[in-house]
PDB file of all heavy atoms in Angstrom:
ATOM      1  N   GLU A 133     -18.620 -13.940 -30.461  1.00 97.00           N
ATOM      2  CA  GLU A 133     -17.160 -13.762 -30.514  1.00 97.00           C
ATOM      3  C   GLU A 133     -16.647 -13.256 -29.168  1.00 97.00           C
ATOM      4  O   GLU A 133     -15.730 -12.428 -29.104  1.00 97.00           O
ATOM      5  CB  GLU A 133     -16.793 -12.773 -31.644  1.00 97.00           C
ATOM      6  CG  GLU A 133     -17.195 -13.222 -33.022  1.00 97.00           C
ATOM      7  CD  GLU A 133     -16.395 -14.433 -33.498  1.00 97.00           C
ATOM      8  OE1 GLU A 133     -15.285 -14.642 -32.970  1.00 97.00           O
ATOM      9  OE2 GLU A 133     -16.887 -15.152 -34.389  1.00 97.00           O
ATOM     10  N   PHE A 134     -17.233 -13.781 -28.111  1.00 96.00           N
ATOM     11  CA  PHE A 134     -16.926 -13.303 -26.758  1.00 96.00           C
ATOM     12  C   PHE A 134     -15.433 -13.371 -26.438  1.00 96.00           C
ATOM     13  O   PHE A 134     -14.891 -12.505 -25.760  1.00 96.00           O
ATOM     14  CB  PHE A 134     -17.725 -14.120 -25.733  1.00 96.00           C
ATOM     15  CG  PHE A 134     -17.377 -13.795 -24.309  1.00 96.00           C
ATOM     16  CD1 PHE A 134     -17.814 -12.613 -23.728  1.00 96.00           C
ATOM     17  CD2 PHE A 134     -16.608 -14.666 -23.548  1.00 96.00           C
ATOM     18  CE1 PHE A 134     -17.486 -12.302 -22.414  1.00 96.00           C
ATOM     19  CE2 PHE A 134     -16.281 -14.372 -22.235  1.00 96.00           C
ATOM     20  CZ  PHE A 134     -16.729 -13.182 -21.668  1.00 96.00           C
ATOM     21  N   LYS A 135     -14.734 -14.397 -26.928  1.00 95.00           N
ATOM     22  CA  LYS A 135     -13.309 -14.569 -26.617  1.00 95.00           C
ATOM     23  C   LYS A 135     -12.479 -13.354 -27.016  1.00 95.00           C
ATOM     24  O   LYS A 135     -11.509 -13.006 -26.354  1.00 95.00           O
ATOM     25  CB  LYS A 135     -12.756 -15.821 -27.305  1.00 95.00           C
ATOM     26  CG  LYS A 135     -13.192 -17.117 -26.652  1.00 95.00           C
ATOM     27  CD  LYS A 135     -12.510 -18.305 -27.315  1.00 95.00           C
ATOM     28  CE  LYS A 135     -12.904 -19.603 -26.616  1.00 95.00           C
ATOM     29  NZ  LYS A 135     -12.245 -20.784 -27.245  1.00 95.00           N
ATOM     30  N   THR A 136     -12.869 -12.719 -28.102  1.00 97.00           N
ATOM     31  CA  THR A 136     -12.141 -11.538 -28.571  1.00 97.00           C
ATOM     32  C   THR A 136     -12.488 -10.302 -27.749  1.00 97.00           C
ATOM     33  O   THR A 136     -11.709  -9.347 -27.710  1.00 97.00           O
ATOM     34  CB  THR A 136     -12.451 -11.277 -30.062  1.00 97.00           C
ATOM     35  OG1 THR A 136     -12.195 -12.471 -30.801  1.00 97.00           O
ATOM     36  CG2 THR A 136     -11.603 -10.155 -30.633  1.00 97.00           C
ATOM     37  N   PHE A 137     -13.649 -10.335 -27.075  1.00 97.00           N
ATOM     38  CA  PHE A 137     -14.115  -9.169 -26.328  1.00 97.00           C
ATOM     39  C   PHE A 137     -14.459  -9.557 -24.881  1.00 97.00           C
ATOM     40  O   PHE A 137     -15.434  -9.078 -24.315  1.00 97.00           O
ATOM     41  CB  PHE A 137     -15.351  -8.575 -27.002  1.00 97.00           C
ATOM     42  CG  PHE A 137     -15.129  -8.150 -28.427  1.00 97.00           C
ATOM     43  CD1 PHE A 137     -15.369  -9.029 -29.478  1.00 97.00           C
ATOM     44  CD2 PHE A 137     -14.661  -6.884 -28.723  1.00 97.00           C
ATOM     45  CE1 PHE A 137     -15.168  -8.647 -30.799  1.00 97.00           C
ATOM     46  CE2 PHE A 137     -14.454  -6.491 -30.048  1.00 97.00           C
ATOM     47  CZ  PHE A 137     -14.704  -7.377 -31.086  1.00 97.00           C
ATOM     48  N   ALA A 138     -13.642 -10.419 -24.291  1.00 96.00           N
ATOM     49  CA  ALA A 138     -13.981 -10.999 -22.983  1.00 96.00           C
ATOM     50  C   ALA A 138     -13.795 -10.048 -21.815  1.00 96.00           C
ATOM     51  O   ALA A 138     -14.415 -10.225 -20.766  1.00 96.00           O
ATOM     52  CB  ALA A 138     -13.150 -12.265 -22.748  1.00 96.00           C
ATOM     53  N   ASN A 139     -12.963  -9.026 -21.974  1.00 96.00           N
ATOM     54  CA  ASN A 139     -12.604  -8.182 -20.835  1.00 96.00           C
ATOM     55  C   ASN A 139     -13.353  -6.855 -20.843  1.00 96.00           C
ATOM     56  O   ASN A 139     -13.692  -6.318 -21.890  1.00 96.00           O
ATOM     57  CB  ASN A 139     -11.094  -7.925 -20.827  1.00 96.00           C
ATOM     58  CG  ASN A 139     -10.308  -9.215 -20.690  1.00 96.00           C
ATOM     59  OD1 ASN A 139     -10.709 -10.116 -19.959  1.00 96.00           O
ATOM     60  ND2 ASN A 139      -9.196  -9.320 -21.408  1.00 96.00           N
ATOM     61  N   ARG A 140     -13.576  -6.342 -19.644  1.00 93.00           N
ATOM     62  CA  ARG A 140     -14.254  -5.057 -19.479  1.00 93.00           C
ATOM     63  C   ARG A 140     -13.239  -3.947 -19.275  1.00 93.00           C
ATOM     64  O   ARG A 140     -12.139  -4.176 -18.773  1.00 93.00           O
ATOM     65  CB  ARG A 140     -15.200  -5.092 -18.268  1.00 93.00           C
ATOM     66  CG  ARG A 140     -16.392  -5.991 -18.437  1.00 93.00           C
ATOM     67  CD  ARG A 140     -17.277  -5.940 -17.212  1.00 93.00           C
ATOM     68  NE  ARG A 140     -17.851  -4.613 -17.008  1.00 93.00           N
ATOM     69  CZ  ARG A 140     -18.576  -4.274 -15.944  1.00 93.00           C
ATOM     70  NH1 ARG A 140     -18.815  -5.157 -14.999  1.00 93.00           N
ATOM     71  NH2 ARG A 140     -19.064  -3.060 -15.823  1.00 93.00           N
ATOM     72  N   ASP A 141     -13.629  -2.749 -19.652  1.00 91.00           N
ATOM     73  CA  ASP A 141     -12.827  -1.559 -19.359  1.00 91.00           C
ATOM     74  C   ASP A 141     -13.580  -0.769 -18.294  1.00 91.00           C
ATOM     75  O   ASP A 141     -14.693  -0.303 -18.528  1.00 91.00           O
ATOM     76  CB  ASP A 141     -12.653  -0.714 -20.631  1.00 91.00           C
ATOM     77  CG  ASP A 141     -11.721   0.470 -20.415  1.00 91.00           C
ATOM     78  OD1 ASP A 141     -11.539   0.876 -19.254  1.00 91.00           O
ATOM     79  OD2 ASP A 141     -11.178   0.980 -21.400  1.00 91.00           O
ATOM     80  N   MET A 142     -12.970  -0.631 -17.117  1.00 83.00           N
ATOM     81  CA  MET A 142     -13.639   0.030 -16.004  1.00 83.00           C
ATOM     82  C   MET A 142     -13.355   1.532 -15.955  1.00 83.00           C
ATOM     83  O   MET A 142     -13.575   2.185 -14.941  1.00 83.00           O
ATOM     84  CB  MET A 142     -13.229  -0.623 -14.682  1.00 83.00           C
ATOM     85  CG  MET A 142     -13.541  -2.113 -14.611  1.00 83.00           C
ATOM     86  SD  MET A 142     -15.280  -2.507 -14.921  1.00 83.00           S
ATOM     87  CE  MET A 142     -16.058  -1.751 -13.492  1.00 83.00           C
ATOM     88  N   ILE A 143     -12.832   2.088 -17.054  1.00 80.00           N
ATOM     89  CA  ILE A 143     -12.506   3.504 -17.196  1.00 80.00           C
ATOM     90  C   ILE A 143     -11.308   3.889 -16.325  1.00 80.00           C
ATOM     91  O   ILE A 143     -10.330   4.439 -16.798  1.00 80.00           O
ATOM     92  CB  ILE A 143     -13.721   4.419 -16.892  1.00 80.00           C
ATOM     93  CG1 ILE A 143     -14.915   3.975 -17.745  1.00 80.00           C
ATOM     94  CG2 ILE A 143     -13.383   5.882 -17.164  1.00 80.00           C
ATOM     95  CD1 ILE A 143     -14.679   3.968 -19.228  1.00 80.00           C
ATOM     96  N   LEU A 144     -11.389   3.590 -15.012  1.00 81.00           N
ATOM     97  CA  LEU A 144     -10.240   3.771 -14.122  1.00 81.00           C
ATOM     98  C   LEU A 144      -9.659   2.402 -13.788  1.00 81.00           C
ATOM     99  O   LEU A 144     -10.411   1.453 -13.556  1.00 81.00           O
ATOM    100  CB  LEU A 144     -10.650   4.479 -12.833  1.00 81.00           C
ATOM    101  CG  LEU A 144     -11.013   5.958 -12.941  1.00 81.00           C
ATOM    102  CD1 LEU A 144     -11.469   6.486 -11.582  1.00 81.00           C
ATOM    103  CD2 LEU A 144      -9.843   6.780 -13.440  1.00 81.00           C
ATOM    104  N   PRO A 145      -8.333   2.272 -13.726  1.00 83.00           N
ATOM    105  CA  PRO A 145      -7.730   0.950 -13.477  1.00 83.00           C
ATOM    106  C   PRO A 145      -8.069   0.374 -12.109  1.00 83.00           C
ATOM    107  O   PRO A 145      -7.960  -0.829 -11.908  1.00 83.00           O
ATOM    108  CB  PRO A 145      -6.227   1.226 -13.602  1.00 83.00           C
ATOM    109  CG  PRO A 145      -6.062   2.690 -13.371  1.00 83.00           C
ATOM    110  CD  PRO A 145      -7.312   3.321 -13.907  1.00 83.00           C
ATOM    111  N   ASP A 146      -8.491   1.243 -11.170  1.00 85.00           N
ATOM    112  CA  ASP A 146      -8.860   0.755  -9.830  1.00 85.00           C
ATOM    113  C   ASP A 146     -10.323   1.053  -9.516  1.00 85.00           C
ATOM    114  O   ASP A 146     -10.725   1.020  -8.362  1.00 85.00           O
ATOM    115  CB  ASP A 146      -7.964   1.382  -8.757  1.00 85.00           C
ATOM    116  CG  ASP A 146      -7.993   2.914  -8.778  1.00 85.00           C
ATOM    117  OD1 ASP A 146      -8.752   3.475  -9.589  1.00 85.00           O
ATOM    118  OD2 ASP A 146      -7.262   3.535  -8.004  1.00 85.00           O
ATOM    119  N   ILE A 147     -11.105   1.351 -10.558  1.00 83.00           N
ATOM    120  CA  ILE A 147     -12.523   1.744 -10.462  1.00 83.00           C
ATOM    121  C   ILE A 147     -12.787   2.749  -9.338  1.00 83.00           C
ATOM    122  O   ILE A 147     -13.871   2.795  -8.760  1.00 83.00           O
ATOM    123  CB  ILE A 147     -13.470   0.527 -10.318  1.00 83.00           C
ATOM    124  CG1 ILE A 147     -13.159  -0.335  -9.093  1.00 83.00           C
ATOM    125  CG2 ILE A 147     -13.470  -0.289 -11.570  1.00 83.00           C
ATOM    126  CD1 ILE A 147     -14.183  -1.432  -8.843  1.00 83.00           C
ATOM    127  N   GLY A 148     -11.781   3.577  -9.037  1.00 81.00           N
ATOM    128  CA  GLY A 148     -11.952   4.618  -8.029  1.00 81.00           C
ATOM    129  C   GLY A 148     -11.822   4.138  -6.601  1.00 81.00           C
ATOM    130  O   GLY A 148     -12.080   4.905  -5.673  1.00 81.00           O
ATOM    131  N   ILE A 149     -11.431   2.868  -6.399  1.00 89.00           N
ATOM    132  CA  ILE A 149     -11.239   2.327  -5.048  1.00 89.00           C
ATOM    133  C   ILE A 149      -9.736   2.223  -4.798  1.00 89.00           C
ATOM    134  O   ILE A 149      -9.066   1.351  -5.363  1.00 89.00           O
ATOM    135  CB  ILE A 149     -11.915   0.960  -4.882  1.00 89.00           C
ATOM    136  CG1 ILE A 149     -13.428   1.102  -5.081  1.00 89.00           C
ATOM    137  CG2 ILE A 149     -11.612   0.355  -3.515  1.00 89.00           C
ATOM    138  CD1 ILE A 149     -14.205  -0.203  -5.011  1.00 89.00           C
ATOM    139  N   PRO A 150      -9.164   3.106  -3.977  1.00 91.00           N
ATOM    140  CA  PRO A 150      -7.711   3.212  -3.851  1.00 91.00           C
ATOM    141  C   PRO A 150      -7.080   2.148  -2.952  1.00 91.00           C
ATOM    142  O   PRO A 150      -6.620   2.435  -1.841  1.00 91.00           O
ATOM    143  CB  PRO A 150      -7.518   4.618  -3.255  1.00 91.00           C
ATOM    144  CG  PRO A 150      -8.748   4.846  -2.445  1.00 91.00           C
ATOM    145  CD  PRO A 150      -9.856   4.138  -3.173  1.00 91.00           C
ATOM    146  N   HIS A 151      -7.063   0.909  -3.432  1.00 94.00           N
ATOM    147  CA  HIS A 151      -6.422  -0.170  -2.693  1.00 94.00           C
ATOM    148  C   HIS A 151      -5.938  -1.221  -3.687  1.00 94.00           C
ATOM    149  O   HIS A 151      -6.656  -1.555  -4.642  1.00 94.00           O
ATOM    150  CB  HIS A 151      -7.396  -0.795  -1.689  1.00 94.00           C
ATOM    151  CG  HIS A 151      -6.722  -1.631  -0.649  1.00 94.00           C
ATOM    152  ND1 HIS A 151      -6.285  -2.912  -0.899  1.00 94.00           N
ATOM    153  CD2 HIS A 151      -6.400  -1.368   0.651  1.00 94.00           C
ATOM    154  CE1 HIS A 151      -5.735  -3.409   0.201  1.00 94.00           C
ATOM    155  NE2 HIS A 151      -5.783  -2.497   1.152  1.00 94.00           N
ATOM    156  N   HIS A 152      -4.726  -1.771  -3.452  1.00 94.00           N
ATOM    157  CA  HIS A 152      -4.135  -2.681  -4.434  1.00 94.00           C
ATOM    158  C   HIS A 152      -4.922  -3.978  -4.603  1.00 94.00           C
ATOM    159  O   HIS A 152      -4.873  -4.611  -5.658  1.00 94.00           O
ATOM    160  CB  HIS A 152      -2.680  -2.998  -4.043  1.00 94.00           C
ATOM    161  CG  HIS A 152      -2.543  -3.836  -2.810  1.00 94.00           C
ATOM    162  ND1 HIS A 152      -2.634  -3.306  -1.534  1.00 94.00           N
ATOM    163  CD2 HIS A 152      -2.336  -5.176  -2.643  1.00 94.00           C
ATOM    164  CE1 HIS A 152      -2.479  -4.267  -0.641  1.00 94.00           C
ATOM    165  NE2 HIS A 152      -2.305  -5.410  -1.286  1.00 94.00           N
ATOM    166  N   LEU A 153      -5.698  -4.384  -3.588  1.00 94.00           N
ATOM    167  CA  LEU A 153      -6.430  -5.649  -3.682  1.00 94.00           C
ATOM    168  C   LEU A 153      -7.635  -5.580  -4.611  1.00 94.00           C
ATOM    169  O   LEU A 153      -8.151  -6.618  -5.028  1.00 94.00           O
ATOM    170  CB  LEU A 153      -6.885  -6.116  -2.297  1.00 94.00           C
ATOM    171  CG  LEU A 153      -5.827  -6.726  -1.380  1.00 94.00           C
ATOM    172  CD1 LEU A 153      -6.481  -7.292  -0.127  1.00 94.00           C
ATOM    173  CD2 LEU A 153      -5.030  -7.805  -2.097  1.00 94.00           C
ATOM    174  N   ILE A 154      -8.092  -4.371  -4.939  1.00 93.00           N
ATOM    175  CA  ILE A 154      -9.297  -4.274  -5.756  1.00 93.00           C
ATOM    176  C   ILE A 154      -9.087  -4.918  -7.130  1.00 93.00           C
ATOM    177  O   ILE A 154     -10.049  -5.349  -7.785  1.00 93.00           O
ATOM    178  CB  ILE A 154      -9.752  -2.797  -5.916  1.00 93.00           C
ATOM    179  CG1 ILE A 154     -11.214  -2.738  -6.396  1.00 93.00           C
ATOM    180  CG2 ILE A 154      -8.834  -2.022  -6.822  1.00 93.00           C
ATOM    181  CD1 ILE A 154     -12.213  -3.376  -5.464  1.00 93.00           C
ATOM    182  N   CYS A 155      -7.831  -5.039  -7.570  1.00 93.00           N
ATOM    183  CA  CYS A 155      -7.560  -5.684  -8.859  1.00 93.00           C
ATOM    184  C   CYS A 155      -7.931  -7.164  -8.844  1.00 93.00           C
ATOM    185  O   CYS A 155      -8.016  -7.805  -9.894  1.00 93.00           O
ATOM    186  CB  CYS A 155      -6.102  -5.510  -9.251  1.00 93.00           C
ATOM    187  SG  CYS A 155      -4.943  -6.345  -8.160  1.00 93.00           S
ATOM    188  N   LYS A 156      -8.178  -7.726  -7.638  1.00 93.00           N
ATOM    189  CA  LYS A 156      -8.589  -9.129  -7.513  1.00 93.00           C
ATOM    190  C   LYS A 156     -10.095  -9.294  -7.683  1.00 93.00           C
ATOM    191  O   LYS A 156     -10.600 -10.420  -7.724  1.00 93.00           O
ATOM    192  CB  LYS A 156      -8.191  -9.678  -6.139  1.00 93.00           C
ATOM    193  CG  LYS A 156      -6.707  -9.577  -5.811  1.00 93.00           C
ATOM    194  CD  LYS A 156      -5.900 -10.609  -6.556  1.00 93.00           C
ATOM    195  CE  LYS A 156      -4.445 -10.608  -6.122  1.00 93.00           C
ATOM    196  NZ  LYS A 156      -3.638 -11.587  -6.871  1.00 93.00           N
ATOM    197  N   ALA A 157     -10.825  -8.174  -7.762  1.00 94.00           N
ATOM    198  CA  ALA A 157     -12.280  -8.236  -7.908  1.00 94.00           C
ATOM    199  C   ALA A 157     -12.651  -8.696  -9.311  1.00 94.00           C
ATOM    200  O   ALA A 157     -11.943  -8.420 -10.285  1.00 94.00           O
ATOM    201  CB  ALA A 157     -12.905  -6.879  -7.614  1.00 94.00           C
ATOM    202  N   ILE A 158     -13.759  -9.366  -9.434  1.00 94.00           N
ATOM    203  CA  ILE A 158     -14.137 -10.012 -10.691  1.00 94.00           C
ATOM    204  C   ILE A 158     -14.268  -9.031 -11.856  1.00 94.00           C
ATOM    205  O   ILE A 158     -13.896  -9.348 -12.981  1.00 94.00           O
ATOM    206  CB  ILE A 158     -15.449 -10.826 -10.511  1.00 94.00           C
ATOM    207  CG1 ILE A 158     -15.726 -11.648 -11.771  1.00 94.00           C
ATOM    208  CG2 ILE A 158     -16.617  -9.940 -10.116  1.00 94.00           C
ATOM    209  CD1 ILE A 158     -16.855 -12.638 -11.605  1.00 94.00           C
TER     210      ILE A 158
END
């Protein structure tokens, strides 16, 4: 049922890397 659970939660929205481009990371 991967489609229902396809996304990861990285705990922090920027995984602790303070730059707006990090949201483009896989």
Side-chain angles (χ1 to χ4, degrees):
E133 299 292 337
F134 174 74
K135 285 185 178 180
T136 307
F137 301 91
N139 299 322
R140 292 181 64 186
D141 185 339
M142 302 304 294
I143 307 303
L144 289 177
D146 56 3
I147 58 173
I149 298 177
H151 196 282
H152 69 280
L153 284 187
I154 197 61
C155 65
K156 303 285 186 182
I158 188 171

